[in-house]
């Protein structure tokens, strides 16, 4: 399909976003093919919450903070898609990411602001992508055209990088071809005049059922493939023929869902993607049979991935810290030394993250591709994969057993029960309604199915933490300190 921007309308509104989901996409949940995800209880909360935030982009309050005027079309486009060429551009992108995450309480690991930086990274590598020759297309030209198409239409993307967890003892994983069966990893099965036909599966595509397109590539773990048929990167519409999405069990406890203030609105859904002879047009391919430009990007210090994810993490840290503090006040333990120390530990993690973000901005630099990149975020994903779990545990410890037992809204509304709730389930200087709702929020952060899904996501979303630690060690320059130490130990040490 042609990537036409002549009829584009720029930054999405809520109505346009909802309408874009009515495109015949194939979504499966609990053995059922979903006919209309917009009205299905597993998706409706998330969809309408995103629509609400999309509408903010063009309001008087947020227009200048969330959009810019495209020089090519004159459209008001989302700053998520603005190519950063100055330090001021980076600041504007930071503020836009802060707004998105303030609005969703830092709960969306795959919100609309997240994938644009991935595509910015590819755009910046456009010359390297073009260096891999193919008679059917120019990969660098493809990414430039695709980036402009996304920006002018404010597309909501997800990505799918990982292989199915079928047999990870194989090396390379999931490439072995059995006599009766094809490999499960996504691979090219045929080239045609229109593009390549691909077959296989990808995981774990967070938010795929409610996005416009999916960017498919190799993760850092799988980028060195033995067979070139497994090496490709592309982006296709969510409704592409042959693309099937299998959703996990919702964590929002639909259709009941009472008492889950975060889960009901921010269950962004994770999916397995099955590619059953899917056509990828030539103009949507960014890499084929040669992963060297993408491998180079993984190993470089170019960082476009910063603000969207880092602002999300900061908002999540602030939320957990504030909820824990308010609970300590509500049950009268804020002055206890051990409780105050735990809250102080949570503040420490939150403040350290804020300082690290400022450091990334301070060390921003111009790339060879002509764009401004943030400084290195080496170690930050590892840091949060460790501290997130610790902050959840601290929230549980501060909350105590009240995390388990709180009255529901129906309990609160029952006139026969209410006198008992007012007497036995109130807090210190707060009524039972305030206390129970505050605890419900803490429960959704630290105990519920939604909270547990969020914590698993935080641990793995930056990749295998152990592999990341090893890579961090191998790339960490200690030569100066080691040389000084060698000088120190090269001569006898002072002694009596």
């Amino acid at each position: 399909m042609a990537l036409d921007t002549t009829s584009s309308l720029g930054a999405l509104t809520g109505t346009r976003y909802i309408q874009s989901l009515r495109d015949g996409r194939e979504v499966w949940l609990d053995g059922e093919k979903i006919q209309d995800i917009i009205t299905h209880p597993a998706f409706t909360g998330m969809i309408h919450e995103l629509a609400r935030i999309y509408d903010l982009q063009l309001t008087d309050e947020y227009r200048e903070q969330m959009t810019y005027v495209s020089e090519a079309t004159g459209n008001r486009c989302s700053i998520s898609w603005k190519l950063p060429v100055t330090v001021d551009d980076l600041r504007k992108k930071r503020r836009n990411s802060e707004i998105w995450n303030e609005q969703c309480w830092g709960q969306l690991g795959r919100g609309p602001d997240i994938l644009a930086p991935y595509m910015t990274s590819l755009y910046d590598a456009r010359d390297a992508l073009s260096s891999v020759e193919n008679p059917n297309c120019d990969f660098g030209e493809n990414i430039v055209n695709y980036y402009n198409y996304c920006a002018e239409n404010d597309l909501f993307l997800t990505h799918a990088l990982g292989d199915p967890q079928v047999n990870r003892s194989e090396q390379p994983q999931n490439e072995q071809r059995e006599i009766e069966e094809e490999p499960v990893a996504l691979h090219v099965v045929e080239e045609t005049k229109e593009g390549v036909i691909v077959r296989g599966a990808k995981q774990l595509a967070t938010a795929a059922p409610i996005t416009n397109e999916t960017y498919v590539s190799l993760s850092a773990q799988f980028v060195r493939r033995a067979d070139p048929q497994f090496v490709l990167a592309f982006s296709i519409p969510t409704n592409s023929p042959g693309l099937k999405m299998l959703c996990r069990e919702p964590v929002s406890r639909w259709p009941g869902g009472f008492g889950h203030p975060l889960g009901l609105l921010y269950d962004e859904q994770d999916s397995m993607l099955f590619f059953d002879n899917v056509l990828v047009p030539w103009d949507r391919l960014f890499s084929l049979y040669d992963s060297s430009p993408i491998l180079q990007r993984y190993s470089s210090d170019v960082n476009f991935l910063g603000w969207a994810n880092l602002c999300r993490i900061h908002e999540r840290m602030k939320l957990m810290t504030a909820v824990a503090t308010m609970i300590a006040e509500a049950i009268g333990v804020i002055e206890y030394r051990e409780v105050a120390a735990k809250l102080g530990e949570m503040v420490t993690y939150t403040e350290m993250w804020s300082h690290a973000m400022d450091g990334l901005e301070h060390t921003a630099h111009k790339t060879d591709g002509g764009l401004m990149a943030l400084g290195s975020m080496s170690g930050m994903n590892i840091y949060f994969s460790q501290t997130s779990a610790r902050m959840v545990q601290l929230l549980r410890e501060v909350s105590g057993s009240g995390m388990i037992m709180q009255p529901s809204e129906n309990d609160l509304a029952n006139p026969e029960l209410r006198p008992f709730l007012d007497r036995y389930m109130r807090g210190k200087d707060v009524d039972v309604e305030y206390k129970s709702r505050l605890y419900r929020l803490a429960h959704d952060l630290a105990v519920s199915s939604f909270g547990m899904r969020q914590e698993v996501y935080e641990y793995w979303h930056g990749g295998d933490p152990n592999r990341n630690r090893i890579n961090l060690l191998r790339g960490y320059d200690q030569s100066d300190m080691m040389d000084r130490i060698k000088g120190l130990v090269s001569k006898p040490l002072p002694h009596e």
Side-chain angles (χ1 to χ4, degrees):
M1 65 181 262
L3 301 180
D4 181 20
T5 60
T6 58
S7 60
S8 59
L9 297 175
L12 273 178
T13 64
T15 298
R16 282 173 50 213
Y17 166 63
I18 291 174
Q19 290 174 342
S20 74
L21 303 179
R22 292 192 168 99
D23 59 5
R25 60 191 60 199
E26 187 173 346
V27 180
W28 292 81
L29 172 61
D30 195 29
E32 175 190 358
K33 187 175 180 180
I34 306 301
Q35 299 302 316
D36 183 7
I37 65 169
I38 296 170
T39 59
H40 193 284
F43 304 99
T44 184
M46 180 75 256
I47 289 171
H48 286 281
E49 180 65 0
L50 284 177
R52 179 188 70 81
I53 303 175
Y54 272 129
D55 275 336
L56 295 180
Q57 294 187 121
L58 298 174
T59 61
D60 291 342
E61 181 178 1
Y62 290 107
R63 183 183 297 108
E64 296 301 322
Q65 300 179 72
M66 298 184 76
T67 66
Y68 70 99
V69 178
S70 166
E71 294 181 1
T73 63
N75 287 331
R76 276 269 172 193
C77 296
S78 169
I79 284 181
S80 298
W81 289 102
K82 183 175 178 59
L83 291 171
V85 294
T86 66
V87 173
D88 188 56
D89 288 339
L90 290 180
R91 294 194 183 103
K92 289 178 179 178
K93 291 180 76 67
R94 178 174 183 170
R95 180 55 191 148
N96 176 64
S97 293
E98 286 174 343
I99 294 170
W100 268 102
N101 285 287
E102 287 166 3
Q103 291 295 323
C104 67
W105 303 93
Q107 298 304 306
L108 297 184
R110 197 69 75 249
D113 185 45
I114 294 287
L115 254 292
Y118 281 80
M119 310 316 292
T120 303
S121 183
L122 288 179
Y123 181 99
D124 190 63
R126 57 197 181 279
D127 290 340
L129 293 173
S130 288
S131 69
V132 178
E133 296 183 358
N134 187 287
N136 298 289
C137 64
D138 181 318
F139 298 126
E141 182 180 320
N142 282 357
I143 189 58
V144 170
N145 292 337
Y146 184 72
Y147 194 95
N148 292 331
Y149 177 70
C150 289
E152 295 292 344
N153 290 282
D154 198 10
L155 294 185
F156 179 11
L157 273 62
T158 187
H159 65 31
L161 307 180
D163 277 355
Q165 292 178 314
V166 174
N167 185 0
R168 293 203 162 178
S169 66
E170 293 179 358
Q171 295 297 330
Q173 293 177 13
N174 297 318
E175 288 188 24
Q176 294 184 11
R177 297 177 183 272
E178 305 294 341
I179 295 175
E180 308 88 0
E181 187 178 354
E182 276 195 289
V184 297
L186 187 69
H187 59 286
V188 177
V189 294
E190 182 184 359
E191 288 191 15
T192 71
K193 181 180 179 181
E194 292 78 21
V196 297
I197 306 297
V198 299
R199 191 156 56 228
K202 278 287 186 180
Q203 69 173 41
L204 197 59
T206 299
I210 58 173
T211 59
N212 301 125
E213 304 223 353
T214 297
Y215 166 58
V216 180
S217 186
L218 298 172
S219 68
Q221 183 177 2
F222 302 125
V223 74
R224 293 182 176 89
R225 285 293 196 188
D227 186 338
Q229 297 296 115
F230 294 85
V231 177
L232 70 165
F234 60 88
S235 192
I236 56 172
T238 304
N239 68 339
S240 295
L243 176 58
K244 304 175 187 293
M245 288 165 280
L246 176 64
C247 301
R248 58 155 168 76
E249 178 183 2
V251 294
S252 55
R253 292 188 58 189
W254 63 277
F258 62 86
H260 293 272
L262 299 176
L264 280 174
L265 295 181
Y266 305 115
D267 183 4
E268 53 191 336
Q269 189 52 251
D270 307 289
S271 305
M272 285 290 296
L273 302 185
F274 305 129
F275 294 79
D276 187 17
N277 294 328
V278 174
L279 171 66
V280 180
W282 288 113
D283 61 356
R284 286 176 164 273
L285 282 160
F286 314 131
S287 175
L288 187 66
Y289 308 143
D290 184 343
S291 64
S292 55
I294 295 178
L295 177 61
Q296 178 185 358
R297 183 58 34 155
Y298 277 130
S299 59
S300 74
D301 64 350
V302 174
N303 174 21
F304 294 111
L305 308 185
W307 290 145
N309 196 45
L310 299 179
C311 292
R312 179 189 66 79
I313 289 172
H314 193 219
E315 195 68 19
R316 178 166 159 79
M317 283 180 156
K318 291 192 297 181
L319 176 62
M320 286 193 287
T321 302
V323 169
T325 303
M326 293 170 72
I327 282 182
E329 292 172 341
I331 59 177
V333 298
I334 188 74
E335 300 301 330
Y336 289 12
R337 179 181 175 86
E338 63 272 23
V339 173
K342 290 173 180 177
L343 295 173
E345 183 179 344
M346 297 179 79
V347 172
T348 300
Y349 297 140
T350 306
E351 282 294 280
M352 287 296 292
W353 195 263
S354 178
H355 295 325
M357 290 171 65
D358 290 343
L360 294 181
E361 192 168 43
H362 180 71
T363 54
H365 61 282
K366 186 81 81 171
T367 70
D368 292 340
L371 301 181
M372 288 298 297
L374 297 172
S376 172
M377 55 185 287
S378 176
M380 290 185 70
N381 278 337
I382 303 170
Y383 178 80
F384 189 59
S385 71
Q386 298 170 167
T387 56
S388 177
R390 176 60 179 162
M391 292 185 77
V392 169
Q393 180 60 29
L394 290 168
L395 175 55
R396 291 174 185 155
E397 291 177 8
V398 170
S399 300
S401 61
M403 187 83 80
I404 299 172
M405 177 60 216
Q406 290 296 323
S408 71
E409 290 297 318
N410 286 337
D411 293 331
L412 293 170
N414 187 294
E416 185 175 349
L417 280 174
R418 186 56 184 261
F420 294 92
L421 306 183
D422 287 335
R423 179 172 177 79
Y424 297 112
M425 301 194 77
R426 69 188 190 278
K428 179 187 177 183
D429 301 324
V430 296
D431 60 25
V432 65
E433 289 184 354
Y434 173 90
K435 179 187 171 187
S436 64
R437 289 168 185 164
L438 182 61
Y439 259 101
R440 288 288 181 187
L441 180 57
H443 183 275
D444 233 7
L445 283 168
V447 178
S448 71
S449 296
F450 175 81
M452 292 300 91
R453 180 269 171 197
Q454 299 296 80
E455 187 48 41
V456 170
Y457 176 89
E458 300 298 357
Y459 186 82
W460 289 109
H461 91 274
D464 179 0
N466 285 325
R467 186 196 71 236
N468 290 343
R469 292 185 190 101
I470 294 169
N471 290 340
L472 182 62
L473 170 65
R474 290 173 176 167
Y476 185 54
D477 185 4
Q478 303 187 71
S479 57
D480 182 63
M481 181 57 71
M482 287 182 173
D483 287 343
R484 291 174 59 198
I485 293 170
K486 289 174 183 176
L488 178 66
V489 302
S490 65
K491 53 192 177 185
L493 298 177
H495 65 284
E496 294 294 337

